[in-house]
Structure formats: C-alpha cells, structure tokens
Amino acid sequence: APGSWSAEAPSVRVSVPGRLYHSEALLPPGDAAARGNYIQKVRWRYSTPPGRSLRAWLCQGDRCLPLSGNRGISEALQGPAWSPLSFRFQLPDGERRAVTVTDIQVLVNY
C-alpha cells in the first residue's frame, strides 16, 4: 500500500575544502521498512546561511543524486523504502569558509 515517511538529521559542519561530509542516516519507521515497499518520490530540504552554497548529494547506499538546490523533489532514487538515505556535502571549489548545514530533512513517498 502507498505511504510516506519523513526523517530529520542533525546539523552538519562543512569546513575542509575537498572533503565530503555525511549527514547521519535518515531511517524509515518500522512500517515503511516492510519488505516490498519501494520509493516513488523523495522530497528534500536543508538550509545554509544566506549567500552560502554547497555541493550536495542525496544518497541511498552508493547511489547518489546530485542536488540542484536546498530543496527539491525527485523520482531518481526509486529503490527499497527500507534502505536509509543520507546527504553528502562539500564546499564549492575555491571556498574556504566553513558552512553549517541545518534543517536537514527528507519526505519519502512509497
């Protein structure tokens, strides 16, 4: 049966150029984790300070979707609904000032 789940992760401080920073795993609740449920759409959001940007990806295992902005929706991660998601962040080329990413969240429709 169709359903949805949402999860939030704590803030991530991105500070070293060239290094990838990972959010904590975004885990589905028990009912979404039932075998046989598959992701249809994922909505994401995260916040950075005004005027700051990052390279960002939303990942399910080793499969990562490059994100075009701080919020969006995609059907590209149509995998098992029981598999955790995570974000990866990296400072843009030439940037050396640290950025703290807050309000990290996904909403998964399955």
Side-chain angles (χ1 to χ4, degrees):
S4 66
W5 61 268
S6 65
E8 297 180 7
S11 299
V12 175
R13 183 171 168 83
V14 181
S15 60
V16 177
R19 179 175 171 194
L20 285 174
Y21 290 80
H22 302 259
S23 72
E24 286 189 10
L26 298 150
L27 302 170
D31 57 342
R35 300 286 181 201
N37 290 326
Y38 288 87
I39 294 173
Q40 299 300 312
K41 290 182 187 176
V42 178
R43 289 175 173 82
W44 74 85
R45 76 172 192 187
Y46 62 88
S47 297
T48 56
R52 302 299 306 276
S53 64
L54 292 169
R55 296 180 66 203
W57 299 263
L58 181 58
C59 303
Q60 184 180 43
D62 291 334
R63 289 182 42 217
C64 292
L65 171 69
L67 303 180
S68 58
N70 291 26
R71 61 180 57 233
I73 185 171
S74 178
E75 296 179 359
L77 291 175
Q78 293 185 355
W82 60 88
S83 182
L85 300 172
S86 66
F87 285 87
R88 293 181 187 172
F89 299 105
Q90 186 178 46
L91 289 174
D93 293 338
E95 182 63 62
R96 299 213 176 277
R97 293 183 303 146
V99 175
T100 299
V101 185
T102 59
D103 302 320
I104 300 168
Q105 183 179 46
V106 293
L107 174 62
V108 175
N109 292 97
Y110 62 89

XYZ file of all heavy atoms in Angstrom:
853
model
N 0.838 -1.182 0.000
C 0.000 0.000 0.000
C 0.877 1.236 0.000
O 1.924 1.250 0.630
C -0.907 -0.004 1.226
N 0.465 2.288 -0.699
C 1.254 3.504 -0.716
C 1.311 4.149 0.657
O 0.406 3.995 1.471
C 0.531 4.405 -1.710
C -0.663 3.685 -2.184
C -0.728 2.365 -1.509
N 2.379 4.875 0.895
C 2.542 5.571 2.157
C 3.672 6.573 2.059
O 4.181 6.855 0.974
N 4.048 7.112 3.203
C 5.150 8.057 3.235
C 5.824 7.996 4.593
O 5.248 7.521 5.565
C 4.674 9.479 2.932
O 3.821 9.940 3.959
N 7.051 8.478 4.624
C 7.769 8.636 5.875
C 8.677 9.844 5.750
O 9.029 10.266 4.653
C 8.538 7.390 6.283
C 9.617 6.897 5.364
C 9.467 5.981 4.362
C 11.004 7.245 5.372
N 10.666 5.752 3.743
C 11.633 6.509 4.341
C 11.784 8.097 6.149
C 12.993 6.611 4.078
C 13.141 8.207 5.885
C 13.734 7.469 4.863
N 8.993 10.446 6.889
C 9.913 11.584 6.895
C 10.945 11.361 7.983
O 10.717 10.610 8.934
C 9.161 12.895 7.117
O 8.582 12.914 8.403
N 12.078 12.001 7.811
C 13.153 11.901 8.797
C 13.990 13.168 8.750
O 14.073 13.836 7.713
C 14.027 10.678 8.518
N 14.592 13.479 9.885
C 15.462 14.641 10.002
C 16.813 14.188 10.528
O 16.907 13.178 11.232
C 14.864 15.667 10.948
C 13.548 16.229 10.458
C 12.951 17.259 11.401
O 13.618 17.646 12.383
O 11.808 17.669 11.154
N 17.853 14.943 10.172
C 19.204 14.655 10.651
C 19.752 15.898 11.346
O 19.362 17.020 11.022
C 20.110 14.268 9.485
N 20.652 15.705 12.304
C 21.282 16.854 12.961
C 22.117 17.675 11.979
O 22.498 17.195 10.899
C 22.187 16.217 14.020
C 21.789 14.796 14.114
C 21.099 14.441 12.841
N 22.438 18.887 12.372
C 23.257 19.785 11.563
C 24.608 19.163 11.230
O 25.114 18.314 11.967
C 23.489 21.100 12.316
O 22.265 21.732 12.573
N 25.182 19.613 10.117
C 26.489 19.147 9.659
C 27.359 20.382 9.406
O 26.935 21.294 8.695
C 26.373 18.325 8.360
C 27.749 17.948 7.823
C 25.523 17.085 8.576
N 28.552 20.400 9.979
C 29.501 21.494 9.726
C 30.469 21.041 8.639
O 31.166 20.043 8.792
C 30.250 21.858 11.001
C 31.191 23.021 10.814
C 31.736 23.472 12.169
N 32.842 24.375 12.039
C 32.743 25.684 11.829
N 31.548 26.231 11.724
N 33.815 26.436 11.727
N 30.506 21.803 7.544
C 31.348 21.503 6.393
C 32.484 22.516 6.401
O 32.247 23.711 6.226
C 30.520 21.596 5.085
C 31.359 21.258 3.880
C 29.300 20.687 5.172
N 33.709 22.047 6.616
C 34.772 23.020 6.862
C 36.067 22.831 6.078
O 36.824 23.772 5.940
C 35.102 23.047 8.358
O 35.523 21.773 8.792
N 36.352 21.645 5.565
C 37.631 21.404 4.886
C 37.379 21.281 3.380
O 36.636 20.406 2.954
C 38.312 20.125 5.425
C 39.595 19.837 4.661
C 38.582 20.250 6.910
N 38.006 22.155 2.570
C 37.819 22.067 1.123
C 38.216 20.685 0.586
O 39.180 20.084 1.031
C 38.768 23.142 0.570
C 38.954 24.104 1.708
C 38.893 23.254 2.952
N 37.405 20.173 -0.363
C 37.698 18.902 -0.998
C 37.230 17.678 -0.232
O 37.236 16.578 -0.764
N 36.817 17.849 1.007
C 36.369 16.711 1.820
C 34.848 16.573 1.736
O 34.129 17.567 1.759
C 36.787 16.934 3.265
C 36.348 15.823 4.168
C 36.870 15.996 5.570
N 36.230 15.009 6.426
C 36.249 15.055 7.731
N 36.902 16.015 8.346
N 35.639 14.147 8.437
N 34.367 15.331 1.665
C 32.930 15.065 1.711
C 32.489 14.895 3.157
O 33.148 14.197 3.930
C 32.586 13.789 0.938
C 32.602 13.893 -0.575
C 32.375 12.511 -1.186
C 31.544 14.857 -1.074
N 31.384 15.520 3.499
C 30.799 15.405 4.834
C 29.461 14.702 4.693
O 28.686 15.022 3.799
C 30.606 16.787 5.464
C 31.913 17.441 5.821
C 32.682 18.086 4.864
C 32.390 17.384 7.117
C 33.897 18.665 5.181
C 33.606 17.962 7.459
C 34.342 18.597 6.482
O 35.548 19.167 6.809
N 29.181 13.752 5.579
C 27.972 12.937 5.509
C 27.033 13.294 6.659
O 27.480 13.474 7.793
C 28.324 11.452 5.613
C 29.266 10.996 4.550
N 28.838 10.305 3.446
C 30.598 11.152 4.399
C 29.871 10.050 2.674
N 30.952 10.554 3.229
N 25.750 13.360 6.352
C 24.758 13.506 7.417
C 24.598 12.157 8.108
O 25.049 11.122 7.598
C 23.406 13.941 6.842
O 22.789 12.873 6.128
N 23.934 12.179 9.244
C 23.532 10.908 9.846
C 22.514 10.245 8.926
O 21.858 10.904 8.121
C 22.918 11.147 11.227
C 23.947 11.501 12.270
C 23.355 11.526 13.677
O 22.200 11.081 13.878
O 24.064 12.005 14.570
N 22.389 8.956 9.047
C 21.430 8.213 8.223
C 20.006 8.661 8.529
O 19.655 8.893 9.687
C 21.573 6.720 8.474
N 19.221 8.805 7.481
C 17.801 9.126 7.601
C 17.052 7.808 7.436
O 17.021 7.228 6.348
C 17.407 10.141 6.528
C 18.165 11.468 6.668
C 18.359 12.130 5.336
C 17.425 12.364 7.630
N 16.479 7.331 8.536
C 15.918 5.978 8.595
C 14.399 5.979 8.516
O 13.748 6.823 9.132
C 16.346 5.306 9.894
C 17.851 5.198 10.121
C 18.140 4.750 11.545
C 18.449 4.236 9.118
N 13.826 5.010 7.818
C 12.372 4.888 7.780
C 11.855 4.281 9.081
O 12.578 3.549 9.759
C 12.122 3.934 6.614
C 13.357 3.100 6.560
C 14.484 4.003 6.996
N 10.599 4.579 9.426
C 9.986 3.911 10.576
C 9.704 2.450 10.225
O 9.793 2.056 9.061
C 8.689 4.693 10.792
C 8.358 5.234 9.438
C 9.690 5.509 8.765
N 9.346 1.668 11.201
C 9.138 0.238 11.015
C 8.162 -0.127 9.924
O 8.406 -1.056 9.153
N 7.029 0.599 9.794
C 6.026 0.216 8.802
C 6.513 0.452 7.379
O 6.212 -0.326 6.475
C 4.684 0.914 9.043
C 4.789 2.425 9.066
O 5.901 2.958 9.238
O 3.742 3.080 8.920
N 7.313 1.487 7.147
C 7.856 1.737 5.806
C 8.963 0.742 5.489
O 9.270 0.485 4.338
C 8.388 3.156 5.694
N 9.559 0.219 6.546
C 10.678 -0.700 6.358
C 10.232 -2.097 5.932
O 11.051 -2.945 5.644
C 11.491 -0.786 7.648
N 8.922 -2.321 5.892
C 8.420 -3.637 5.491
C 8.908 -3.964 4.086
O 8.860 -3.133 3.185
C 6.892 -3.657 5.538
N 9.397 -5.160 3.917
C 9.890 -5.595 2.600
C 8.774 -5.467 1.572
O 7.604 -5.709 1.872
C 10.368 -7.039 2.670
C 11.480 -7.244 3.653
C 12.775 -6.691 3.139
N 13.839 -6.924 4.106
C 14.940 -6.238 4.131
N 15.125 -5.271 3.290
N 15.871 -6.506 5.011
N 9.140 -5.056 0.386
C 8.156 -4.923 -0.679
C 7.741 -3.494 -0.947
O 7.105 -3.220 -1.954
N 8.082 -2.555 -0.064
C 7.779 -1.153 -0.310
C 8.957 -0.501 -1.025
O 10.110 -0.674 -0.614
C 7.513 -0.406 0.999
C 6.204 -0.820 1.628
O 5.238 -1.115 0.930
N 6.161 -0.843 2.951
N 8.669 0.249 -2.086
C 9.718 0.901 -2.875
C 9.458 2.389 -2.991
O 8.304 2.817 -3.137
C 9.808 0.271 -4.272
C 10.405 -1.113 -4.193
C 9.600 -2.221 -3.953
C 11.776 -1.293 -4.289
C 10.148 -3.482 -3.829
C 12.332 -2.557 -4.173
C 11.514 -3.643 -3.949
O 12.057 -4.887 -3.804
N 10.520 3.162 -2.940
C 10.437 4.624 -3.023
C 9.874 5.029 -4.387
O 10.311 4.520 -5.417
C 11.824 5.247 -2.815
C 12.307 4.998 -1.386
C 11.802 6.742 -3.134
C 13.745 5.428 -1.125
N 8.929 5.944 -4.368
C 8.392 6.530 -5.590
C 8.974 7.931 -5.813
O 9.432 8.240 -6.895
C 6.860 6.612 -5.521
C 6.187 5.260 -5.366
C 6.494 4.331 -6.528
O 6.393 4.723 -7.685
N 6.878 3.110 -6.217
N 8.919 8.769 -4.758
C 9.432 10.147 -4.823
C 10.119 10.479 -3.512
O 9.720 9.987 -2.456
C 8.303 11.161 -5.016
C 7.642 11.137 -6.344
C 6.586 12.229 -6.409
C 5.794 12.093 -7.697
N 4.707 13.066 -7.769
N 11.112 11.340 -3.609
C 11.780 11.861 -2.421
C 11.787 13.383 -2.511
O 12.196 13.950 -3.529
C 13.238 11.358 -2.299
C 13.915 11.959 -1.088
C 13.288 9.853 -2.245
N 11.321 14.015 -1.455
C 11.443 15.465 -1.312
C 12.547 15.711 -0.289
O 12.626 14.983 0.698
C 10.137 16.074 -0.806
C 9.034 16.053 -1.815
C 7.730 16.573 -1.189
N 6.697 16.718 -2.173
C 5.921 15.742 -2.615
N 6.069 14.524 -2.146
N 5.003 15.960 -3.526
N 13.367 16.708 -0.540
C 14.443 17.011 0.403
C 14.480 18.500 0.682
O 13.969 19.306 -0.092
C 15.799 16.558 -0.148
C 16.316 17.432 -1.251
C 17.033 18.593 -1.125
C 16.113 17.247 -2.651
N 17.303 19.121 -2.355
C 16.749 18.315 -3.308
C 15.466 16.274 -3.405
C 16.754 18.438 -4.693
C 15.469 16.401 -4.773
C 16.107 17.463 -5.392
N 15.118 18.811 1.800
C 15.415 20.214 2.105
C 16.554 20.251 3.106
O 16.762 19.317 3.894
C 14.202 20.956 2.620
C 13.857 20.653 4.036
C 12.783 21.559 4.547
N 12.733 21.375 5.995
C 11.842 21.892 6.762
N 10.887 22.627 6.270
N 11.880 21.680 8.052
N 17.288 21.330 3.036
C 18.314 21.653 4.016
C 18.541 23.151 3.923
O 18.164 23.789 2.935
C 19.608 20.859 3.786
C 20.284 21.119 2.467
C 21.206 22.154 2.324
C 20.002 20.344 1.355
C 21.824 22.401 1.096
C 20.611 20.577 0.142
C 21.519 21.610 0.015
O 22.126 21.848 -1.195
N 19.126 23.727 4.955
C 19.346 25.171 4.993
C 20.824 25.477 5.170
O 21.531 24.767 5.894
C 18.561 25.805 6.152
O 17.178 25.622 5.965
N 21.251 26.543 4.499
C 22.592 27.096 4.678
C 22.429 28.576 4.994
O 21.386 29.165 4.706
C 23.444 26.919 3.403
O 22.756 27.514 2.301
C 23.711 25.456 3.100
N 23.445 29.199 5.570
C 23.342 30.635 5.844
C 23.116 31.426 4.548
O 23.541 30.991 3.464
C 24.704 30.984 6.465
C 25.213 29.684 7.012
C 24.695 28.629 6.073
N 22.470 32.589 4.639
C 22.221 33.403 3.443
C 23.516 33.676 2.670
O 24.555 33.977 3.253
C 21.648 34.710 4.010
C 21.077 34.316 5.339
C 21.953 33.204 5.848
N 23.424 33.526 1.353
C 24.562 33.794 0.494
C 25.589 32.675 0.414
O 26.596 32.794 -0.274
N 25.350 31.589 1.118
C 26.297 30.461 1.109
C 25.671 29.293 0.370
O 24.474 29.057 0.450
C 26.634 30.026 2.543
C 27.216 31.104 3.428
C 28.538 31.671 2.919
N 29.555 30.687 2.672
C 30.372 30.176 3.587
N 30.301 30.562 4.833
N 31.267 29.266 3.252
N 26.495 28.549 -0.340
C 26.001 27.370 -1.044
C 27.010 26.245 -0.890
O 28.158 26.467 -0.510
C 25.759 27.684 -2.521
O 26.983 28.006 -3.147
N 26.566 25.056 -1.200
C 27.393 23.854 -1.106
C 27.117 22.964 -2.293
O 26.062 23.051 -2.916
C 27.026 23.059 0.157
C 27.359 23.656 1.487
C 26.691 22.854 2.587
C 28.854 23.673 1.700
N 28.031 22.067 -2.569
C 27.740 20.944 -3.451
C 27.044 19.918 -2.557
O 27.475 19.686 -1.430
C 29.015 20.394 -4.039
C 29.727 21.408 -4.933
C 30.999 20.872 -5.513
N 30.651 19.780 -6.432
C 31.489 18.810 -6.790
N 32.716 18.783 -6.315
N 31.113 17.867 -7.617
N 25.970 19.331 -3.042
C 25.203 18.412 -2.200
C 24.671 17.245 -3.021
O 24.394 17.383 -4.215
C 24.041 19.158 -1.542
N 24.546 16.106 -2.346
C 24.006 14.886 -2.932
C 23.073 14.237 -1.924
O 23.302 14.296 -0.721
C 25.118 13.888 -3.247
C 26.117 14.362 -4.224
C 26.143 14.109 -5.577
C 27.288 15.152 -3.960
N 27.246 14.702 -6.145
C 27.965 15.345 -5.176
C 27.823 15.730 -2.800
C 29.141 16.087 -5.273
C 28.987 16.464 -2.896
C 29.641 16.641 -4.119
N 22.040 13.570 -2.417
C 21.187 12.724 -1.600
C 21.494 11.296 -2.015
O 21.461 10.971 -3.215
C 19.711 13.046 -1.819
C 18.716 12.246 -0.996
C 18.972 12.402 0.502
C 17.291 12.661 -1.335
N 21.818 10.462 -1.041
C 22.308 9.118 -1.356
C 21.466 8.034 -0.711
O 20.951 8.196 0.394
C 23.751 8.962 -0.861
S 24.876 10.190 -1.546
N 21.391 6.919 -1.431
C 20.830 5.673 -0.910
C 21.909 4.629 -1.164
O 22.138 4.224 -2.304
C 19.525 5.314 -1.618
C 18.861 4.086 -1.045
C 17.572 3.759 -1.769
O 17.502 3.817 -2.988
N 16.554 3.418 -1.000
N 22.620 4.269 -0.116
C 23.778 3.397 -0.283
C 24.847 4.126 -1.080
O 25.187 5.261 -0.786
N 25.331 3.504 -2.153
C 26.348 4.109 -3.005
C 25.755 4.915 -4.160
O 26.490 5.550 -4.906
C 27.279 3.032 -3.570
C 28.155 2.422 -2.494
O 28.428 3.099 -1.479
O 28.562 1.258 -2.663
N 24.443 4.860 -4.330
C 23.775 5.640 -5.380
C 23.505 7.038 -4.871
O 22.822 7.214 -3.868
C 22.443 5.002 -5.757
C 22.564 3.724 -6.511
C 21.209 3.153 -6.917
N 20.300 4.175 -7.393
C 18.978 4.166 -7.148
N 18.438 3.219 -6.430
N 18.215 5.112 -7.631
N 24.042 8.047 -5.552
C 23.873 9.427 -5.110
C 23.289 10.285 -6.223
O 23.671 10.166 -7.385
C 25.206 10.014 -4.665
S 25.846 9.255 -3.164
N 22.377 11.155 -5.831
C 21.722 12.084 -6.725
C 22.284 13.476 -6.467
O 22.143 13.989 -5.346
C 20.208 12.067 -6.456
C 19.353 13.119 -7.125
C 19.317 12.865 -8.634
C 17.943 13.087 -6.547
N 22.954 14.105 -7.446
C 23.414 15.481 -7.247
C 22.195 16.389 -7.084
O 21.228 16.287 -7.845
C 24.168 15.820 -8.538
C 24.341 14.539 -9.269
C 23.307 13.591 -8.770
N 22.244 17.262 -6.090
C 21.111 18.146 -5.814
C 21.370 19.527 -6.410
O 22.468 20.068 -6.298
C 20.877 18.259 -4.303
C 20.646 16.925 -3.586
C 20.428 17.148 -2.099
C 19.470 16.176 -4.203
N 20.342 20.101 -7.006
C 20.473 21.397 -7.669
C 20.187 22.565 -6.733
O 20.369 23.713 -7.118
C 19.543 21.462 -8.873
O 18.202 21.255 -8.460
N 19.734 22.283 -5.526
C 19.430 23.364 -4.593
C 19.077 22.833 -3.222
O 19.102 21.626 -2.977
N 18.747 23.762 -2.332
C 18.456 23.429 -0.936
C 17.154 22.666 -0.739
O 16.912 22.141 0.341
C 18.391 24.703 -0.095
C 19.733 25.370 0.064
O 20.615 25.216 -0.782
N 19.898 26.101 1.124
N 16.323 22.627 -1.753
C 15.070 21.871 -1.671
C 14.684 21.393 -3.051
O 15.061 22.002 -4.050
C 13.951 22.687 -1.023
C 13.572 23.945 -1.741
C 12.444 24.731 -1.065
N 12.793 25.068 0.290
C 12.034 24.804 1.370
N 10.869 24.227 1.224
N 12.425 25.131 2.563
N 13.942 20.299 -3.073
C 13.509 19.785 -4.360
C 12.791 18.465 -4.217
O 12.505 18.002 -3.100
N 12.495 17.872 -5.356
C 11.789 16.596 -5.415
C 12.370 15.781 -6.565
O 12.769 16.341 -7.581
C 10.264 16.812 -5.596
C 9.508 15.492 -5.537
C 9.970 17.572 -6.862
C 7.995 15.672 -5.482
N 12.437 14.475 -6.390
C 12.993 13.622 -7.437
C 12.369 12.233 -7.388
O 11.988 11.750 -6.322
C 14.506 13.493 -7.267
O 15.036 12.638 -8.259
N 12.325 11.606 -8.549
C 11.921 10.215 -8.667
C 13.132 9.334 -8.990
O 12.985 8.158 -9.306
C 10.851 10.065 -9.751
C 9.563 10.783 -9.419
C 8.503 10.655 -10.494
O 8.760 10.017 -11.533
O 7.412 11.209 -10.298
N 14.336 9.877 -8.922
C 15.546 9.168 -9.341
C 16.031 8.114 -8.345
O 16.813 7.254 -8.723
C 16.665 10.166 -9.615
N 15.599 8.161 -7.111
C 16.059 7.185 -6.111
C 14.975 6.153 -5.837
O 14.610 5.894 -4.700
C 16.465 7.894 -4.814
C 17.726 8.741 -4.889
C 17.942 9.492 -3.587
C 18.941 7.889 -5.204
N 14.457 5.538 -6.875
C 13.385 4.565 -6.709
C 13.955 3.208 -6.313
O 14.042 2.291 -7.108
C 12.570 4.468 -7.997
C 11.802 5.728 -8.286
C 10.912 5.586 -9.495
O 10.907 4.589 -10.193
N 10.123 6.614 -9.749
N 14.309 3.114 -5.055
C 14.849 1.874 -4.524
C 14.024 1.402 -3.351
O 12.918 1.887 -3.110
N 14.548 0.462 -2.591
C 13.829 -0.080 -1.438
C 13.526 0.999 -0.393
O 14.408 1.764 -0.018
C 14.784 -1.116 -0.866
C 15.758 -1.415 -1.961
C 15.849 -0.184 -2.787
N 12.282 1.052 0.070
C 11.881 2.048 1.067
C 12.504 1.763 2.428
O 12.519 2.624 3.289
C 10.359 2.102 1.185
N 13.043 0.556 2.628
C 13.635 0.205 3.908
C 15.118 0.570 3.983
O 15.748 0.431 5.018
C 13.443 -1.275 4.204
C 14.064 -2.186 3.176
C 15.351 -2.653 3.175
C 13.447 -2.726 2.025
N 15.572 -3.454 2.086
C 14.410 -3.516 1.351
C 12.172 -2.638 1.476
C 14.139 -4.200 0.176
C 11.915 -3.316 0.297
C 12.869 -4.090 -0.327
N 15.684 1.058 2.889
C 17.094 1.419 2.853
C 17.272 2.861 3.316
O 16.581 3.759 2.840
C 17.618 1.244 1.434
O 18.986 1.547 1.370
N 18.193 3.136 4.249
C 18.371 4.505 4.740
C 18.910 5.442 3.655
O 19.577 5.008 2.709
C 19.380 4.365 5.876
C 19.999 3.033 5.731
C 19.093 2.191 4.908
N 18.596 6.701 3.803
C 19.110 7.761 2.941
C 20.111 8.588 3.735
O 20.094 8.580 4.972
C 17.971 8.659 2.454
C 16.866 7.985 1.651
C 15.716 8.956 1.414
C 17.394 7.477 0.330
N 20.955 9.331 3.050
C 21.858 10.272 3.707
C 22.222 11.372 2.725
O 22.070 11.215 1.512
C 23.123 9.570 4.210
O 23.883 9.090 3.121
N 22.684 12.479 3.271
C 23.172 13.584 2.456
C 24.687 13.583 2.485
O 25.300 13.159 3.470
C 22.690 14.923 3.018
C 21.251 15.227 2.755
C 20.268 14.772 3.623
C 20.869 15.992 1.662
C 18.934 15.068 3.399
C 19.534 16.286 1.431
C 18.567 15.829 2.301
N 25.277 14.080 1.409
C 26.710 14.365 1.368
C 26.861 15.823 0.974
O 26.134 16.309 0.103
C 27.424 13.475 0.363
C 27.422 12.019 0.768
C 28.157 11.158 -0.232
N 27.967 9.754 0.143
C 28.343 8.735 -0.597
N 28.948 8.956 -1.753
N 28.130 7.505 -0.198
N 27.799 16.497 1.625
C 28.029 17.913 1.359
C 29.509 18.165 1.143
O 30.354 17.490 1.730
C 27.565 18.765 2.551
C 26.103 18.634 2.869
C 25.683 17.898 3.966
C 25.142 19.246 2.084
C 24.344 17.771 4.275
C 23.792 19.124 2.378
C 23.389 18.389 3.480
N 29.802 19.173 0.306
C 31.180 19.554 0.045
C 31.217 21.053 -0.248
O 30.301 21.584 -0.900
C 31.709 18.777 -1.152
C 33.172 18.970 -1.446
C 33.608 18.110 -2.629
O 32.938 18.057 -3.651
N 34.736 17.441 -2.475
N 32.272 21.722 0.233
C 32.436 23.135 -0.097
C 32.650 23.280 -1.602
O 33.320 22.448 -2.215
C 33.646 23.721 0.640
C 33.509 23.904 2.145
C 34.840 24.347 2.749
C 32.422 24.919 2.480
N 32.110 24.346 -2.199
C 32.364 24.568 -3.625
C 33.844 24.878 -3.871
O 34.554 25.315 -2.966
C 31.503 25.786 -3.971
C 30.645 26.052 -2.803
C 31.214 25.329 -1.634
N 34.296 24.663 -5.099
C 35.684 24.960 -5.458
C 36.029 26.393 -5.081
O 35.257 27.320 -5.334
C 35.900 24.755 -6.955
C 35.787 23.299 -7.365
O 35.958 22.420 -6.482
O 35.531 23.031 -8.547
N 37.178 26.566 -4.460
C 37.663 27.891 -4.083
C 37.138 28.416 -2.761
O 37.633 29.411 -2.251
N 36.141 27.778 -2.185
C 35.570 28.236 -0.905
C 36.369 27.665 0.249
O 36.717 26.494 0.252
C 34.107 27.805 -0.795
C 33.418 28.282 0.462
C 33.335 29.791 0.561
O 32.689 30.405 -0.308
O 33.926 30.350 1.507
N 36.666 28.505 1.236
C 37.449 28.054 2.382
C 36.736 28.295 3.714
O 37.153 27.782 4.732
C 38.805 28.752 2.406
C 39.630 28.457 1.167
C 41.104 28.435 1.502
N 41.920 28.066 0.375
C 42.172 26.836 -0.015
N 41.619 25.837 0.610
N 42.940 26.587 -1.046
N 35.663 29.084 3.706
C 34.941 29.357 4.952
C 33.960 28.237 5.263
O 33.230 27.774 4.385
C 34.180 30.678 4.860
C 35.087 31.901 4.766
C 34.291 33.186 4.751
N 33.336 33.172 3.647
C 32.137 33.730 3.690
N 31.711 34.340 4.769
N 31.337 33.684 2.644
N 33.932 27.810 6.506
C 33.052 26.720 6.934
C 31.583 27.121 6.792
O 31.230 28.299 6.897
C 33.349 26.350 8.378
N 30.758 26.118 6.546
C 29.309 26.292 6.429
C 28.639 25.261 7.321
O 29.010 24.086 7.299
C 28.837 26.079 4.966
C 27.328 26.152 4.874
C 29.485 27.084 4.033
N 27.661 25.696 8.102
C 26.865 24.757 8.885
C 25.536 24.544 8.181
O 24.805 25.494 7.905
C 26.646 25.267 10.321
O 27.918 25.419 10.953
C 25.800 24.287 11.123
N 25.242 23.287 7.877
C 24.002 22.906 7.208
C 23.001 22.510 8.285
O 23.300 21.677 9.145
C 24.232 21.720 6.248
C 22.968 21.418 5.468
C 25.393 22.003 5.306
N 21.813 23.113 8.254
C 20.776 22.845 9.252
C 19.490 22.399 8.555
O 19.409 22.385 7.327
C 20.497 24.108 10.095
O 20.072 25.164 9.219
C 21.743 24.549 10.858
N 18.485 22.067 9.341
C 17.149 21.706 8.832
C 17.222 20.620 7.757
O 16.554 20.700 6.731
C 16.420 22.930 8.275
C 16.264 24.029 9.303
O 15.989 23.701 10.468
O 16.420 25.212 8.938
N 18.011 19.591 7.992
C 18.206 18.504 7.036
C 17.021 17.545 7.144
O 16.785 16.977 8.206
C 19.536 17.781 7.309
C 20.701 18.771 7.187
C 19.708 16.588 6.395
C 22.017 18.225 7.717
N 16.287 17.373 6.043
C 15.057 16.580 6.109
C 14.751 15.924 4.775
O 15.038 16.483 3.719
C 13.894 17.479 6.517
C 12.591 16.741 6.694
C 11.472 17.663 7.116
O 11.304 18.738 6.554
N 10.721 17.253 8.106
N 14.138 14.750 4.824
C 13.573 14.098 3.641
C 12.128 13.708 3.925
O 11.751 13.443 5.066
C 14.354 12.828 3.208
C 15.731 13.177 2.716
C 14.389 11.786 4.285
N 11.339 13.669 2.867
C 9.989 13.123 2.890
C 9.929 12.129 1.753
O 10.152 12.484 0.588
C 8.935 14.213 2.704
C 7.494 13.725 2.568
C 7.030 13.001 3.811
C 6.570 14.882 2.249
N 9.681 10.871 2.077
C 9.710 9.783 1.106
C 8.300 9.265 0.875
O 7.593 8.920 1.832
C 10.621 8.628 1.619
C 10.573 7.451 0.676
C 12.036 9.127 1.833
N 7.896 9.215 -0.395
C 6.632 8.567 -0.766
C 6.971 7.198 -1.333
O 7.860 7.067 -2.161
C 5.889 9.375 -1.823
C 5.389 10.681 -1.285
O 6.040 11.709 -1.463
N 4.247 10.666 -0.622
N 6.254 6.174 -0.855
C 6.492 4.811 -1.345
C 5.205 4.146 -1.699
O 4.130 4.632 -1.402
C 7.279 3.987 -0.320
C 6.590 3.786 1.007
C 5.740 2.703 1.200
C 6.796 4.663 2.072
C 5.101 2.513 2.413
C 6.175 4.468 3.277
C 5.327 3.397 3.450
O 4.704 3.204 4.663
